[in-house]
Amino acid sequence: MPSTIARSSKKAQRTWVETHDSAVETYGEGERAHRTAFSALKHSFEKVGDHWEAKDHKGPSDAQAARSTAKRGKTAGGVDANASKRHLYDVAKRLDIAGRSTMTKDELVKAIQKANDRATAKARA
């Protein structure tokens, strides 16, 4: 189980593990099973810092998560890119992202993604 999920709620862990196990049965162990599990996780959770938190609404977090088949491609790294700008601003505020008040929605997504990556790297150290 990836460390960001291990630091998340039991429900997030259960969602990832159950989907991953099912995907392993279907596709075999490997990258495709992991992509499938993360895609399922992104429908109910978003990455905030070094862990995953439940979203206010269910649904895909980005165009990649909306695909019916988990394929390689660019994702928002767990950031709920489909959320409102206000929600993204609030997440950026919690992560203490400088300059957030002047950022566009796309800039907020990228800044949150970068902050999440830093928090994950720091948690691993």
Side-chain angles (χ1 to χ4, degrees):
M1 173 184 307
S3 62
T4 58
I5 298 167
R7 287 187 291 274
S8 302
S9 70
K10 294 293 182 196
K11 185 174 180 184
Q13 291 175 18
R14 190 172 47 252
T15 298
W16 193 88
V17 168
E18 289 176 2
T19 306
H20 182 264
D21 290 351
S22 177
V24 167
E25 288 178 19
T26 304
Y27 308 120
E29 183 64 57
E31 184 182 345
R32 188 168 185 189
H34 275 69
R35 284 195 316 264
T36 301
F38 274 111
S39 182
L41 185 70
K42 291 177 184 180
H43 280 261
S44 298
F45 297 87
E46 65 181 319
K47 190 172 178 203
V48 179
D50 67 346
H51 64 282
W52 294 80
E53 295 181 2
K55 295 192 312 188
D56 292 336
H57 62 284
K58 289 189 178 198
S61 58
D62 57 36
Q64 183 68 12
R67 297 179 81 155
S68 60
T69 305
K71 295 183 179 180
R72 287 188 185 109
K74 189 170 173 90
T75 73
V79 177
D80 189 2
N82 291 333
S84 68
K85 184 177 178 183
R86 180 69 203 179
H87 174 77
L88 294 169
Y89 174 85
D90 290 342
V91 171
K93 186 175 182 180
R94 287 179 52 205
L95 296 171
D96 199 27
I97 295 173
R100 64 188 170 267
S101 63
T102 60
M103 291 181 182
T104 65
K105 185 174 177 178
D106 288 339
E107 290 170 332
L108 284 166
V109 169
K110 289 176 185 167
I112 294 167
Q113 188 174 11
K114 189 175 179 180
N116 287 347
D117 291 346
R118 278 193 308 267
T120 300
K122 186 177 180 180
R124 286 185 187 150

